[in-house]
Amino acid sequence: RGVLAEADGGVVLLPMAAAVAAMPQVGLSPDEVRRWRQGQRLNVRAALGAGAEVALLDEGGELVGVGVAGEGGVKPKLVFPVG
């Protein structure tokens, strides 16, 4: 899985995390990744304002989803399955 981008007159496939590079990012433990993929809200430790979108990455830096910060943690907006 990846994102297509133009480079040097051609098209290249970039990692999914490249698509959200400008967003705040939070690394997740394996247990948090499992819970995220089950659609659960996570109580992550990050300085985010309510309504802020955040990219969630596994320990290998792979994008596992995008969430929205709010009271009680980050709730799922997009969840990517195991690839």
Side-chain angles (χ1 to χ4, degrees):
R1 294 185 300 185
V3 179
L4 294 177
E6 291 185 29
D8 297 326
V11 177
V12 296
L13 185 63
L14 299 174
M16 292 285 288
V20 294
M23 294 174 68
Q25 299 182 0
V26 173
L28 301 179
S29 70
D31 183 58
E32 288 170 323
V33 169
R34 180 188 56 76
R35 291 179 22 235
W36 180 260
R37 287 191 166 134
Q38 293 174 346
Q40 296 180 24
R41 177 185 302 261
L42 298 179
N43 186 16
V44 296
R45 299 142 308 277
L48 302 167
E53 291 185 335
V54 58
L56 299 157
L57 309 171
D58 67 13
E59 289 182 328
E62 294 292 320
L63 182 65
V64 296
V66 175
V68 179
E71 203 170 307
V74 176
K75 68 178 181 177
K77 181 172 182 179
L78 295 172
V79 177
F80 298 114
V82 176

Short mmCIF file of all heavy atoms in Angstrom, two decimals:
data_model
loop_
_atom_site.label_atom_id
_atom_site.label_comp_id
_atom_site.label_asym_id
_atom_site.label_seq_id
_atom_site.Cartn_x
_atom_site.Cartn_y
_atom_site.Cartn_z
N ARG A 1 0.85 -1.17 0.00
CA ARG A 1 0.00 0.00 0.00
C ARG A 1 0.88 1.22 0.00
O ARG A 1 1.93 1.24 0.62
CB ARG A 1 -0.89 0.02 1.23
CG ARG A 1 -1.89 -1.10 1.26
CD ARG A 1 -2.81 -0.98 2.42
NE ARG A 1 -2.06 -1.02 3.66
CZ ARG A 1 -2.61 -1.04 4.84
NH1 ARG A 1 -3.89 -1.05 4.96
NH2 ARG A 1 -1.88 -1.04 5.92
N GLY A 2 0.42 2.25 -0.69
CA GLY A 2 1.19 3.47 -0.74
C GLY A 2 0.43 4.58 -1.41
O GLY A 2 -0.75 4.45 -1.74
N VAL A 3 1.13 5.67 -1.64
CA VAL A 3 0.58 6.86 -2.25
C VAL A 3 1.39 7.16 -3.50
O VAL A 3 2.62 7.18 -3.44
CB VAL A 3 0.66 8.06 -1.27
CG1 VAL A 3 0.12 9.32 -1.90
CG2 VAL A 3 -0.06 7.75 0.02
N LEU A 4 0.71 7.40 -4.61
CA LEU A 4 1.42 7.73 -5.84
C LEU A 4 1.83 9.20 -5.83
O LEU A 4 1.08 10.07 -5.42
CB LEU A 4 0.54 7.46 -7.07
CG LEU A 4 0.20 6.00 -7.33
CD1 LEU A 4 -0.74 5.89 -8.53
CD2 LEU A 4 1.45 5.17 -7.57
N ALA A 5 3.04 9.47 -6.29
CA ALA A 5 3.55 10.85 -6.37
C ALA A 5 4.43 10.96 -7.61
O ALA A 5 5.02 9.98 -8.06
CB ALA A 5 4.35 11.20 -5.12
N GLU A 6 4.46 12.17 -8.18
CA GLU A 6 5.32 12.40 -9.33
C GLU A 6 6.70 12.82 -8.87
O GLU A 6 6.85 13.61 -7.95
CB GLU A 6 4.72 13.49 -10.23
CG GLU A 6 3.44 13.04 -10.91
CD GLU A 6 2.93 14.07 -11.89
OE1 GLU A 6 3.74 14.83 -12.46
OE2 GLU A 6 1.71 14.11 -12.08
N ALA A 7 7.72 12.25 -9.53
CA ALA A 7 9.10 12.59 -9.19
C ALA A 7 9.98 12.32 -10.40
O ALA A 7 9.88 11.27 -11.04
CB ALA A 7 9.58 11.76 -8.00
N ASP A 8 10.82 13.27 -10.74
CA ASP A 8 11.77 13.12 -11.85
C ASP A 8 11.09 12.67 -13.14
O ASP A 8 11.59 11.80 -13.85
CB ASP A 8 12.89 12.13 -11.48
CG ASP A 8 13.72 12.62 -10.30
OD1 ASP A 8 13.91 13.85 -10.20
OD2 ASP A 8 14.16 11.79 -9.50
N GLY A 9 9.94 13.26 -13.44
CA GLY A 9 9.25 12.95 -14.69
C GLY A 9 8.51 11.63 -14.68
O GLY A 9 7.97 11.22 -15.70
N GLY A 10 8.48 10.94 -13.57
CA GLY A 10 7.78 9.66 -13.47
C GLY A 10 6.90 9.62 -12.24
O GLY A 10 6.73 10.61 -11.55
N VAL A 11 6.34 8.47 -12.01
CA VAL A 11 5.48 8.28 -10.85
C VAL A 11 6.14 7.26 -9.93
O VAL A 11 6.64 6.24 -10.38
CB VAL A 11 4.08 7.77 -11.29
CG1 VAL A 11 3.21 7.49 -10.09
CG2 VAL A 11 3.41 8.79 -12.20
N VAL A 12 6.14 7.58 -8.64
CA VAL A 12 6.72 6.68 -7.63
C VAL A 12 5.66 6.35 -6.58
O VAL A 12 4.72 7.11 -6.37
CB VAL A 12 7.97 7.28 -6.96
CG1 VAL A 12 9.08 7.47 -7.97
CG2 VAL A 12 7.64 8.58 -6.27
N LEU A 13 5.84 5.23 -5.92
CA LEU A 13 4.96 4.82 -4.84
C LEU A 13 5.63 5.15 -3.52
O LEU A 13 6.70 4.63 -3.21
CB LEU A 13 4.67 3.32 -4.94
CG LEU A 13 3.66 2.75 -3.96
CD1 LEU A 13 2.28 3.36 -4.20
CD2 LEU A 13 3.59 1.24 -4.10
N LEU A 14 5.00 6.02 -2.73
CA LEU A 14 5.53 6.42 -1.43
C LEU A 14 4.78 5.67 -0.33
O LEU A 14 3.64 5.26 -0.53
CB LEU A 14 5.34 7.92 -1.23
CG LEU A 14 6.03 8.85 -2.22
CD1 LEU A 14 5.64 10.29 -1.97
CD2 LEU A 14 7.53 8.68 -2.15
N PRO A 15 5.39 5.52 0.84
CA PRO A 15 4.69 4.90 1.97
C PRO A 15 3.45 5.71 2.34
O PRO A 15 3.41 6.93 2.16
CB PRO A 15 5.70 4.93 3.11
CG PRO A 15 7.02 5.22 2.47
CD PRO A 15 6.74 5.91 1.18
N MET A 16 2.42 5.03 2.87
CA MET A 16 1.19 5.72 3.27
C MET A 16 1.47 6.84 4.27
O MET A 16 0.81 7.86 4.25
CB MET A 16 0.22 4.71 3.89
CG MET A 16 -0.33 3.71 2.91
SD MET A 16 -1.58 4.40 1.83
CE MET A 16 -2.93 4.58 2.95
N ALA A 17 2.46 6.66 5.13
CA ALA A 17 2.77 7.68 6.13
C ALA A 17 3.18 8.99 5.48
O ALA A 17 3.03 10.07 6.08
CB ALA A 17 3.86 7.18 7.07
N ALA A 18 3.67 8.96 4.24
CA ALA A 18 4.06 10.19 3.54
C ALA A 18 2.85 11.09 3.28
O ALA A 18 2.98 12.31 3.22
CB ALA A 18 4.76 9.85 2.23
N ALA A 19 1.67 10.50 3.14
CA ALA A 19 0.46 11.26 2.88
C ALA A 19 0.02 12.10 4.08
O ALA A 19 -0.71 13.07 3.93
CB ALA A 19 -0.68 10.34 2.46
N VAL A 20 0.48 11.73 5.26
CA VAL A 20 0.07 12.43 6.48
C VAL A 20 1.26 13.05 7.20
O VAL A 20 1.18 13.35 8.39
CB VAL A 20 -0.72 11.48 7.42
CG1 VAL A 20 -2.03 11.05 6.80
CG2 VAL A 20 0.13 10.27 7.79
N ALA A 21 2.34 13.26 6.48
CA ALA A 21 3.58 13.77 7.09
C ALA A 21 3.40 15.11 7.78
O ALA A 21 4.10 15.41 8.75
CB ALA A 21 4.69 13.83 6.05
N ALA A 22 2.46 15.93 7.31
CA ALA A 22 2.26 17.26 7.90
C ALA A 22 1.35 17.23 9.13
O ALA A 22 1.22 18.24 9.82
CB ALA A 22 1.69 18.20 6.85
N MET A 23 0.74 16.09 9.39
CA MET A 23 -0.17 15.98 10.54
C MET A 23 0.61 15.62 11.81
O MET A 23 1.68 15.02 11.72
CB MET A 23 -1.20 14.86 10.29
CG MET A 23 -2.16 15.13 9.17
SD MET A 23 -3.23 13.70 8.84
CE MET A 23 -4.21 13.69 10.31
N PRO A 24 0.05 15.96 12.98
CA PRO A 24 0.65 15.44 14.21
C PRO A 24 0.62 13.92 14.15
O PRO A 24 -0.33 13.33 13.61
CB PRO A 24 -0.27 15.96 15.32
CG PRO A 24 -1.07 17.04 14.72
CD PRO A 24 -1.13 16.79 13.25
N GLN A 25 1.66 13.28 14.67
CA GLN A 25 1.75 11.82 14.61
C GLN A 25 1.96 11.24 15.99
O GLN A 25 2.67 11.82 16.81
CB GLN A 25 2.88 11.41 13.67
CG GLN A 25 2.66 11.89 12.26
CD GLN A 25 3.74 11.45 11.31
OE1 GLN A 25 4.69 10.76 11.68
NE2 GLN A 25 3.59 11.82 10.05
N VAL A 26 1.34 10.10 16.22
CA VAL A 26 1.47 9.40 17.49
C VAL A 26 1.84 7.95 17.19
O VAL A 26 1.19 7.30 16.37
CB VAL A 26 0.15 9.46 18.30
CG1 VAL A 26 0.24 8.59 19.54
CG2 VAL A 26 -0.19 10.89 18.67
N GLY A 27 2.88 7.47 17.85
CA GLY A 27 3.28 6.06 17.73
C GLY A 27 2.48 5.21 18.70
O GLY A 27 2.25 5.61 19.83
N LEU A 28 2.06 4.05 18.23
CA LEU A 28 1.25 3.16 19.05
C LEU A 28 2.01 1.87 19.37
O LEU A 28 2.79 1.39 18.56
CB LEU A 28 -0.03 2.78 18.30
CG LEU A 28 -0.95 3.93 17.89
CD1 LEU A 28 -2.15 3.37 17.14
CD2 LEU A 28 -1.39 4.75 19.09
N SER A 29 1.72 1.33 20.53
CA SER A 29 2.25 0.02 20.91
C SER A 29 1.47 -1.05 20.13
O SER A 29 0.38 -0.78 19.61
CB SER A 29 2.07 -0.20 22.41
OG SER A 29 0.69 -0.38 22.71
N PRO A 30 1.98 -2.28 20.07
CA PRO A 30 1.23 -3.35 19.41
C PRO A 30 -0.18 -3.53 19.98
O PRO A 30 -1.13 -3.77 19.23
CB PRO A 30 2.10 -4.58 19.62
CG PRO A 30 3.49 -4.04 19.70
CD PRO A 30 3.33 -2.73 20.46
N ASP A 31 -0.32 -3.42 21.30
CA ASP A 31 -1.65 -3.56 21.90
C ASP A 31 -2.57 -2.41 21.47
O ASP A 31 -3.75 -2.63 21.19
CB ASP A 31 -1.54 -3.61 23.43
CG ASP A 31 -2.90 -3.83 24.07
OD1 ASP A 31 -3.56 -4.85 23.76
OD2 ASP A 31 -3.32 -2.96 24.86
N GLU A 32 -2.03 -1.19 21.41
CA GLU A 32 -2.84 -0.06 20.97
C GLU A 32 -3.25 -0.21 19.50
O GLU A 32 -4.37 0.14 19.13
CB GLU A 32 -2.08 1.25 21.18
CG GLU A 32 -1.96 1.64 22.64
CD GLU A 32 -1.02 2.81 22.86
OE1 GLU A 32 0.03 2.90 22.18
OE2 GLU A 32 -1.32 3.64 23.75
N VAL A 33 -2.34 -0.73 18.67
CA VAL A 33 -2.66 -0.97 17.26
C VAL A 33 -3.82 -1.96 17.16
O VAL A 33 -4.77 -1.76 16.40
CB VAL A 33 -1.44 -1.48 16.47
CG1 VAL A 33 -1.84 -1.97 15.09
CG2 VAL A 33 -0.39 -0.39 16.36
N ARG A 34 -3.75 -3.04 17.93
CA ARG A 34 -4.82 -4.04 17.92
C ARG A 34 -6.16 -3.41 18.32
O ARG A 34 -7.17 -3.60 17.65
CB ARG A 34 -4.48 -5.19 18.88
CG ARG A 34 -5.55 -6.28 18.94
CD ARG A 34 -5.26 -7.30 20.03
NE ARG A 34 -5.09 -6.71 21.35
CZ ARG A 34 -6.09 -6.29 22.12
NH1 ARG A 34 -7.34 -6.37 21.70
NH2 ARG A 34 -5.86 -5.77 23.31
N ARG A 35 -6.16 -2.63 19.39
CA ARG A 35 -7.38 -1.98 19.85
C ARG A 35 -7.89 -0.97 18.83
O ARG A 35 -9.10 -0.87 18.59
CB ARG A 35 -7.14 -1.32 21.21
CG ARG A 35 -6.94 -2.37 22.29
CD ARG A 35 -6.67 -1.84 23.69
NE ARG A 35 -7.10 -0.52 23.97
CZ ARG A 35 -6.31 0.46 24.44
NH1 ARG A 35 -5.04 0.21 24.69
NH2 ARG A 35 -6.79 1.66 24.69
N TRP A 36 -6.97 -0.23 18.18
CA TRP A 36 -7.36 0.74 17.16
C TRP A 36 -8.06 0.03 16.00
O TRP A 36 -9.08 0.47 15.51
CB TRP A 36 -6.12 1.49 16.66
CG TRP A 36 -6.45 2.49 15.60
CD1 TRP A 36 -6.30 2.35 14.26
CD2 TRP A 36 -7.02 3.78 15.80
NE1 TRP A 36 -6.72 3.48 13.61
CE2 TRP A 36 -7.17 4.37 14.55
CE3 TRP A 36 -7.41 4.50 16.93
CZ2 TRP A 36 -7.71 5.64 14.37
CZ3 TRP A 36 -7.94 5.77 16.76
CH2 TRP A 36 -8.08 6.33 15.50
N ARG A 37 -7.49 -1.07 15.57
CA ARG A 37 -8.06 -1.82 14.44
C ARG A 37 -9.40 -2.46 14.80
O ARG A 37 -10.12 -2.91 13.92
CB ARG A 37 -7.05 -2.84 13.93
CG ARG A 37 -5.92 -2.14 13.19
CD ARG A 37 -5.04 -3.09 12.44
NE ARG A 37 -4.19 -2.35 11.51
CZ ARG A 37 -2.90 -2.55 11.36
NH1 ARG A 37 -2.28 -3.48 12.06
NH2 ARG A 37 -2.22 -1.83 10.48
N GLN A 38 -9.72 -2.50 16.07
CA GLN A 38 -11.03 -2.97 16.51
C GLN A 38 -12.00 -1.80 16.68
O GLN A 38 -13.12 -1.99 17.14
CB GLN A 38 -10.91 -3.74 17.83
CG GLN A 38 -10.15 -5.03 17.69
CD GLN A 38 -9.91 -5.72 19.02
OE1 GLN A 38 -10.06 -5.13 20.09
NE2 GLN A 38 -9.49 -6.97 18.97
N GLY A 39 -11.55 -0.60 16.31
CA GLY A 39 -12.42 0.58 16.35
C GLY A 39 -12.55 1.25 17.70
O GLY A 39 -13.46 2.04 17.91
N GLN A 40 -11.63 0.94 18.61
CA GLN A 40 -11.70 1.51 19.95
C GLN A 40 -11.03 2.89 20.04
O GLN A 40 -10.04 3.14 19.38
CB GLN A 40 -11.04 0.57 20.95
CG GLN A 40 -11.74 -0.75 21.08
CD GLN A 40 -11.06 -1.66 22.08
OE1 GLN A 40 -10.36 -1.20 22.98
NE2 GLN A 40 -11.24 -2.95 21.91
N ARG A 41 -11.59 3.74 20.87
CA ARG A 41 -10.97 5.03 21.19
C ARG A 41 -9.72 4.76 22.01
O ARG A 41 -9.70 3.87 22.85
CB ARG A 41 -11.96 5.87 22.00
CG ARG A 41 -11.43 7.21 22.46
CD ARG A 41 -12.44 7.91 23.35
NE ARG A 41 -13.71 8.11 22.70
CZ ARG A 41 -14.08 9.26 22.14
NH1 ARG A 41 -13.29 10.29 22.17
NH2 ARG A 41 -15.25 9.36 21.57
N LEU A 42 -8.66 5.53 21.76
CA LEU A 42 -7.41 5.36 22.49
C LEU A 42 -7.12 6.57 23.35
O LEU A 42 -7.32 7.71 22.92
CB LEU A 42 -6.24 5.15 21.52
CG LEU A 42 -6.30 3.92 20.63
CD1 LEU A 42 -5.08 3.89 19.72
CD2 LEU A 42 -6.37 2.65 21.45
N ASN A 43 -6.61 6.33 24.52
CA ASN A 43 -6.20 7.41 25.41
C ASN A 43 -4.69 7.62 25.20
O ASN A 43 -3.88 7.14 25.97
CB ASN A 43 -6.50 7.05 26.87
CG ASN A 43 -6.20 8.20 27.80
OD1 ASN A 43 -6.06 9.33 27.37
ND2 ASN A 43 -6.10 7.90 29.07
N VAL A 44 -4.34 8.30 24.11
CA VAL A 44 -2.93 8.53 23.80
C VAL A 44 -2.44 9.80 24.47
O VAL A 44 -3.21 10.72 24.72
CB VAL A 44 -2.68 8.60 22.27
CG1 VAL A 44 -3.01 7.28 21.62
CG2 VAL A 44 -3.47 9.72 21.64
N ARG A 45 -1.16 9.80 24.76
CA ARG A 45 -0.55 10.92 25.44
C ARG A 45 0.06 11.88 24.42
O ARG A 45 1.20 11.70 24.02
CB ARG A 45 0.52 10.42 26.40
CG ARG A 45 -0.05 9.50 27.45
CD ARG A 45 0.82 8.32 27.83
NE ARG A 45 1.32 7.49 26.75
CZ ARG A 45 0.65 6.50 26.17
NH1 ARG A 45 -0.57 6.24 26.52
NH2 ARG A 45 1.20 5.79 25.21
N ALA A 46 -0.73 12.83 23.99
CA ALA A 46 -0.23 13.81 23.02
C ALA A 46 -0.92 15.14 23.28
O ALA A 46 -2.06 15.18 23.72
CB ALA A 46 -0.52 13.34 21.60
N ALA A 47 -0.21 16.23 23.01
CA ALA A 47 -0.77 17.56 23.20
C ALA A 47 -1.54 17.93 21.94
O ALA A 47 -0.99 18.47 20.99
CB ALA A 47 0.34 18.57 23.48
N LEU A 48 -2.83 17.60 21.92
CA LEU A 48 -3.67 17.86 20.77
C LEU A 48 -4.91 18.63 21.21
O LEU A 48 -5.49 18.31 22.24
CB LEU A 48 -4.12 16.55 20.12
CG LEU A 48 -3.02 15.61 19.65
CD1 LEU A 48 -3.60 14.25 19.33
CD2 LEU A 48 -2.33 16.20 18.43
N GLY A 49 -5.30 19.60 20.42
CA GLY A 49 -6.53 20.31 20.70
C GLY A 49 -7.73 19.49 20.27
O GLY A 49 -7.63 18.63 19.39
N ALA A 50 -8.88 19.73 20.88
CA ALA A 50 -10.09 19.01 20.52
C ALA A 50 -10.39 19.21 19.04
O ALA A 50 -10.31 20.31 18.51
CB ALA A 50 -11.26 19.49 21.37
N GLY A 51 -10.70 18.13 18.36
CA GLY A 51 -11.02 18.18 16.95
C GLY A 51 -9.83 18.05 16.02
O GLY A 51 -9.98 17.94 14.81
N ALA A 52 -8.61 18.06 16.58
CA ALA A 52 -7.41 17.93 15.76
C ALA A 52 -7.31 16.53 15.19
O ALA A 52 -7.59 15.55 15.89
CB ALA A 52 -6.16 18.25 16.57
N GLU A 53 -6.91 16.42 13.94
CA GLU A 53 -6.68 15.11 13.33
C GLU A 53 -5.24 14.69 13.60
O GLU A 53 -4.33 15.52 13.60
CB GLU A 53 -6.94 15.15 11.84
CG GLU A 53 -8.41 15.32 11.51
CD GLU A 53 -8.68 15.23 10.02
OE1 GLU A 53 -7.78 15.49 9.21
OE2 GLU A 53 -9.83 14.89 9.68
N VAL A 54 -5.05 13.42 13.85
CA VAL A 54 -3.74 12.88 14.18
C VAL A 54 -3.51 11.59 13.41
O VAL A 54 -4.44 10.79 13.25
CB VAL A 54 -3.59 12.66 15.71
CG1 VAL A 54 -4.64 11.72 16.23
CG2 VAL A 54 -2.21 12.19 16.07
N ALA A 55 -2.30 11.41 12.89
CA ALA A 55 -1.92 10.18 12.22
C ALA A 55 -1.41 9.20 13.26
O ALA A 55 -0.61 9.58 14.12
CB ALA A 55 -0.85 10.45 11.17
N LEU A 56 -1.84 7.96 13.18
CA LEU A 56 -1.43 6.94 14.13
C LEU A 56 -0.56 5.92 13.41
O LEU A 56 -0.95 5.38 12.38
CB LEU A 56 -2.66 6.28 14.75
CG LEU A 56 -3.51 7.31 15.50
CD1 LEU A 56 -4.93 6.84 15.64
CD2 LEU A 56 -2.90 7.60 16.85
N LEU A 57 0.63 5.69 13.96
CA LEU A 57 1.63 4.82 13.33
C LEU A 57 1.98 3.66 14.25
O LEU A 57 2.00 3.82 15.48
CB LEU A 57 2.90 5.61 13.03
CG LEU A 57 2.72 6.92 12.26
CD1 LEU A 57 4.03 7.68 12.22
CD2 LEU A 57 2.22 6.66 10.86
N ASP A 58 2.28 2.50 13.65
CA ASP A 58 2.73 1.38 14.46
C ASP A 58 4.21 1.54 14.77
O ASP A 58 4.83 2.53 14.37
CB ASP A 58 2.42 0.04 13.78
CG ASP A 58 3.20 -0.21 12.50
OD1 ASP A 58 4.18 0.51 12.21
OD2 ASP A 58 2.83 -1.14 11.77
N GLU A 59 4.78 0.58 15.47
CA GLU A 59 6.18 0.69 15.88
C GLU A 59 7.16 0.72 14.71
O GLU A 59 8.27 1.19 14.83
CB GLU A 59 6.54 -0.44 16.84
CG GLU A 59 5.89 -0.30 18.20
CD GLU A 59 6.27 -1.40 19.16
OE1 GLU A 59 6.50 -2.54 18.72
OE2 GLU A 59 6.35 -1.11 20.37
N GLY A 60 6.73 0.22 13.55
CA GLY A 60 7.56 0.23 12.35
C GLY A 60 7.38 1.48 11.51
O GLY A 60 7.98 1.61 10.45
N GLY A 61 6.55 2.42 11.97
CA GLY A 61 6.31 3.66 11.24
C GLY A 61 5.25 3.55 10.16
O GLY A 61 5.07 4.47 9.37
N GLU A 62 4.52 2.41 10.11
CA GLU A 62 3.46 2.24 9.13
C GLU A 62 2.18 2.91 9.63
O GLU A 62 1.82 2.80 10.81
CB GLU A 62 3.18 0.75 8.89
CG GLU A 62 4.33 0.01 8.24
CD GLU A 62 4.57 0.45 6.81
OE1 GLU A 62 3.59 0.67 6.08
OE2 GLU A 62 5.76 0.58 6.45
N LEU A 63 1.47 3.57 8.73
CA LEU A 63 0.23 4.24 9.06
C LEU A 63 -0.86 3.21 9.34
O LEU A 63 -1.13 2.35 8.50
CB LEU A 63 -0.19 5.15 7.91
CG LEU A 63 -1.45 5.97 8.09
CD1 LEU A 63 -1.28 7.00 9.21
CD2 LEU A 63 -1.81 6.68 6.79
N VAL A 64 -1.48 3.29 10.51
CA VAL A 64 -2.58 2.37 10.84
C VAL A 64 -3.92 3.09 10.85
O VAL A 64 -4.96 2.45 10.89
CB VAL A 64 -2.35 1.63 12.18
CG1 VAL A 64 -1.13 0.73 12.08
CG2 VAL A 64 -2.23 2.57 13.34
N GLY A 65 -3.89 4.43 10.81
CA GLY A 65 -5.15 5.16 10.74
C GLY A 65 -4.99 6.63 11.03
O GLY A 65 -3.90 7.13 11.29
N VAL A 66 -6.13 7.29 10.96
CA VAL A 66 -6.23 8.72 11.28
C VAL A 66 -7.34 8.85 12.30
O VAL A 66 -8.41 8.25 12.15
CB VAL A 66 -6.55 9.56 10.02
CG1 VAL A 66 -6.77 11.02 10.38
CG2 VAL A 66 -5.42 9.42 8.99
N GLY A 67 -7.07 9.62 13.34
CA GLY A 67 -8.07 9.82 14.38
C GLY A 67 -8.35 11.27 14.63
O GLY A 67 -7.68 12.16 14.09
N VAL A 68 -9.36 11.51 15.45
CA VAL A 68 -9.75 12.86 15.85
C VAL A 68 -9.63 12.95 17.36
O VAL A 68 -10.21 12.14 18.09
CB VAL A 68 -11.19 13.17 15.40
CG1 VAL A 68 -11.60 14.56 15.85
CG2 VAL A 68 -11.32 13.04 13.89
N ALA A 69 -8.85 13.94 17.81
CA ALA A 69 -8.65 14.14 19.25
C ALA A 69 -9.89 14.75 19.88
O ALA A 69 -10.58 15.57 19.27
CB ALA A 69 -7.45 15.05 19.49
N GLY A 70 -10.16 14.31 21.08
CA GLY A 70 -11.31 14.85 21.80
C GLY A 70 -11.21 14.45 23.26
O GLY A 70 -10.23 13.86 23.70
N GLU A 71 -12.25 14.77 23.98
CA GLU A 71 -12.30 14.42 25.39
C GLU A 71 -12.25 12.90 25.51
O GLU A 71 -12.99 12.19 24.85
CB GLU A 71 -13.59 14.95 26.01
CG GLU A 71 -13.51 15.13 27.49
CD GLU A 71 -14.71 15.89 28.01
OE1 GLU A 71 -14.98 16.99 27.49
OE2 GLU A 71 -15.35 15.36 28.92
N GLY A 72 -11.35 12.39 26.30
CA GLY A 72 -11.25 10.96 26.49
C GLY A 72 -10.34 10.25 25.51
O GLY A 72 -10.28 9.04 25.48
N GLY A 73 -9.62 10.99 24.68
CA GLY A 73 -8.66 10.35 23.80
C GLY A 73 -8.87 10.64 22.33
O GLY A 73 -9.45 11.65 21.96
N VAL A 74 -8.40 9.71 21.51
CA VAL A 74 -8.48 9.85 20.05
C VAL A 74 -9.45 8.80 19.53
O VAL A 74 -9.29 7.61 19.80
CB VAL A 74 -7.09 9.66 19.40
CG1 VAL A 74 -7.18 9.70 17.89
CG2 VAL A 74 -6.12 10.73 19.89
N LYS A 75 -10.46 9.25 18.80
CA LYS A 75 -11.43 8.31 18.24
C LYS A 75 -11.12 8.06 16.77
O LYS A 75 -10.61 8.94 16.07
CB LYS A 75 -12.86 8.78 18.44
CG LYS A 75 -13.23 10.00 17.63
CD LYS A 75 -14.69 10.37 17.87
CE LYS A 75 -15.03 11.61 17.02
NZ LYS A 75 -16.42 11.97 17.16
N PRO A 76 -11.42 6.87 16.28
CA PRO A 76 -11.12 6.53 14.88
C PRO A 76 -11.89 7.38 13.88
O PRO A 76 -13.07 7.65 14.06
CB PRO A 76 -11.55 5.07 14.78
CG PRO A 76 -11.52 4.54 16.17
CD PRO A 76 -11.92 5.71 17.03
N LYS A 77 -11.19 7.81 12.85
CA LYS A 77 -11.79 8.43 11.66
C LYS A 77 -11.57 7.51 10.47
O LYS A 77 -12.47 7.23 9.71
CB LYS A 77 -11.21 9.81 11.40
CG LYS A 77 -11.81 10.51 10.21
CD LYS A 77 -11.34 11.93 10.09
CE LYS A 77 -12.03 12.61 8.89
NZ LYS A 77 -11.61 14.00 8.77
N LEU A 78 -10.32 7.04 10.33
CA LEU A 78 -9.95 6.05 9.32
C LEU A 78 -9.14 4.96 10.00
O LEU A 78 -8.24 5.24 10.78
CB LEU A 78 -9.05 6.68 8.23
CG LEU A 78 -9.66 7.75 7.35
CD1 LEU A 78 -8.58 8.38 6.47
CD2 LEU A 78 -10.74 7.15 6.47
N VAL A 79 -9.47 3.72 9.69
CA VAL A 79 -8.74 2.58 10.25
C VAL A 79 -8.28 1.73 9.06
O VAL A 79 -9.10 1.29 8.27
CB VAL A 79 -9.63 1.75 11.19
CG1 VAL A 79 -8.88 0.53 11.70
CG2 VAL A 79 -10.12 2.60 12.35
N PHE A 80 -6.97 1.51 8.97
CA PHE A 80 -6.43 0.68 7.91
C PHE A 80 -6.19 -0.73 8.45
O PHE A 80 -5.57 -0.90 9.49
CB PHE A 80 -5.12 1.28 7.37
CG PHE A 80 -5.32 2.64 6.77
CD1 PHE A 80 -4.76 3.76 7.35
CD2 PHE A 80 -6.08 2.80 5.63
CE1 PHE A 80 -4.94 5.02 6.81
CE2 PHE A 80 -6.27 4.07 5.07
CZ PHE A 80 -5.70 5.17 5.67
N PRO A 81 -6.67 -1.74 7.72
CA PRO A 81 -6.49 -3.12 8.18
C PRO A 81 -5.03 -3.55 8.03
O PRO A 81 -4.23 -2.88 7.42
CB PRO A 81 -7.39 -3.92 7.25
CG PRO A 81 -7.46 -3.10 6.00
CD PRO A 81 -7.36 -1.67 6.45
N VAL A 82 -4.75 -4.71 8.58
CA VAL A 82 -3.41 -5.28 8.46
C VAL A 82 -3.14 -5.48 6.98
O VAL A 82 -3.96 -6.01 6.25
CB VAL A 82 -3.33 -6.63 9.21
CG1 VAL A 82 -1.97 -7.26 9.00
CG2 VAL A 82 -3.62 -6.42 10.68
N GLY A 83 -1.98 -5.02 6.52
CA GLY A 83 -1.68 -5.10 5.10
C GLY A 83 -0.69 -6.10 4.84
O GLY A 83 -0.26 -6.67 3.99
#
